[in-house]
Amino acid sequence: MSKLDPHWAVITGAAGGIGRSLCEAFSDAGYRVIATDARPRKDVVCDEFLECDLIEYCDSSETREAVYQAIGSVCGDAGVRCLVNNAAVQRLASTGSIAPEDIRDTLHVNLVAPLLLAQAMLPLLEQAEGSVVNVGSVHEWSTKPGFVIYAASKAAIGGLTRSLAVDLGGRVRVNSVTPGAVDTPMLREGFSDHPEMTERLAECQPSGRIAEPRDVAKAAVFLASESAGAITGSSLRIDGGILARLHDPA
Ligand code: NAD
């Protein structure tokens, strides 16, 4: 792929641990990158940066229109080759103490925004024979105490991946990458009550290591590529084999 014949990728949560790697990997693969995040552009490799809060994006049709216009005017006739819904929030609380605003923010950022973005980008994605890659999590299938609303949102994005793929058929492919433990600030936050356990986490992985953000980013680039042209409605687990492992005493 040549940058003279541009393929554009739109990547949300671009200023985060995995987001920065996604921007680098798509850029290395020859894409032009429109990066977006609620945080400022620090160390993000991209051609355009759009500062946008996805909660506001969900709540305001004016913001949605402004984002669509901004992306459309940058991509022009080339359209969008890949939308990567990577942004997420992880609010930890047990069932009895989840705050209503944490439920709302989590579902807005982790589920509603990916759906509204896919809907808005549809003409641009079809123009470029593009695809959507959602960033899920192993919490879609298997979770821990305290992850109630995060795990629910990740199960929902898995369901959304499959339902969009079926609904859009041959128009736009829709897949997800589902990471397990990836060495980012979000992971360390999840272990903030037991920082010493981060060290032991690698030992629990059949692979023997915690994934790096670039492991997830390369899988997303693959799902967006022509090599994955027959793949839609699928989830590619980058979990070090953790979900394949039986936890019994023997
Ligand atoms: P991160 O917290 O470093 O990055 C998330 C990014 O999303 C941040 O830059 C943040 O600013 C952005 N974001 C949050 N709320 C937003 C909002 N309202 N509007 C716009 N942007 C917003 O986390 P990460 O580890 O890089 O996670 C990236 C993705 O990978 C997420 O979907 C996460 O659920 C998933 N994931 C991460 C891990 C892990 O171990 N780190 C494991 C499984 C899945």
Side-chain angles (χ1 to χ4, degrees):
M1 192 191 309
S2 151
K3 291 213 174 193
L4 297 173
D5 177 22
H7 280 178
W8 286 95
V10 175
I11 299 172
T12 72
I18 292 173
R20 281 198 297 267
S21 264
L22 281 164
C23 291
E24 273 173 37
F26 273 85
S27 188
D28 288 350
Y31 289 77
R32 292 194 178 179
V33 172
I34 300 175
T36 167
D37 204 293
R39 291 195 279 176
R41 175 190 179 159
K42 193 167 171 270
D43 302 329
V44 179
V45 174
C46 61
D47 296 277
E48 298 285 336
F49 188 88
L50 205 54
E51 205 168 303
C52 171
D53 187 320
L54 290 174
I55 295 173
E56 192 192 326
Y57 182 85
C58 292
D59 286 343
S60 155
S61 57
E62 286 84 13
T63 303
R64 290 200 292 279
E65 182 57 26
V67 168
Y68 181 77
Q69 292 301 334
I71 292 174
S73 68
V74 168
C75 298
D77 290 341
V80 171
R81 183 72 171 178
C82 187
L83 164 65
V84 187
N85 283 312
N86 165 68
V89 290
Q90 186 185 71
R91 305 271 168 84
L92 303 184
S94 57
T95 310
S97 61
I98 308 170
E101 55 272 25
D102 285 341
I103 298 173
R104 189 197 84 119
D105 291 358
T106 303
L107 293 179
H108 269 45
V109 178
N110 300 12
L111 175 68
V112 179
L115 171 56
L116 291 176
L117 280 164
Q119 183 186 53
M121 297 296 129
L122 199 50
L124 297 170
L125 286 163
E126 287 195 275
Q127 218 168 314
E129 297 180 12
S131 75
V132 177
V133 178
N134 293 320
V135 180
S137 164
V138 289
H139 285 269
E140 176 177 350
W141 295 287
S142 201
T143 193
K144 304 192 281 192
F147 283 72
V148 178
I149 191 59
Y150 179 74
S153 75
K154 290 300 181 180
I157 192 85
L160 182 69
T161 301
R162 293 183 286 277
S163 60
L164 284 179
V166 170
D167 191 60
L168 294 174
R171 295 165 65 192
V172 173
R173 294 184 302 109
V174 185
N175 292 295
S176 66
V177 287
T178 47
V182 186
D183 194 5
T184 66
M186 183 181 276
L187 176 87
R188 290 182 184 279
E189 172 67 25
F191 280 81
S192 57
D193 290 344
H194 310 282
E196 73 288 355
M197 288 199 188
T198 318
E199 309 305 320
R200 286 174 43 205
L201 189 60
E203 296 163 18
C204 302
Q205 317 291 316
S207 63
R209 72 175 179 97
I210 295 174
E212 295 294 332
R214 65 175 172 276
D215 295 318
V216 180
K218 284 179 185 169
V221 169
F222 163 70
L223 286 174
S225 73
E226 281 174 11
S227 304
I231 302 177
T232 193
S234 275
S235 162
L236 181 50
R237 286 179 359 202
I238 303 115
D239 70 348
I242 194 89
L243 287 182
R245 181 177 200 151
L246 262 184
H247 290 276
D248 64 18

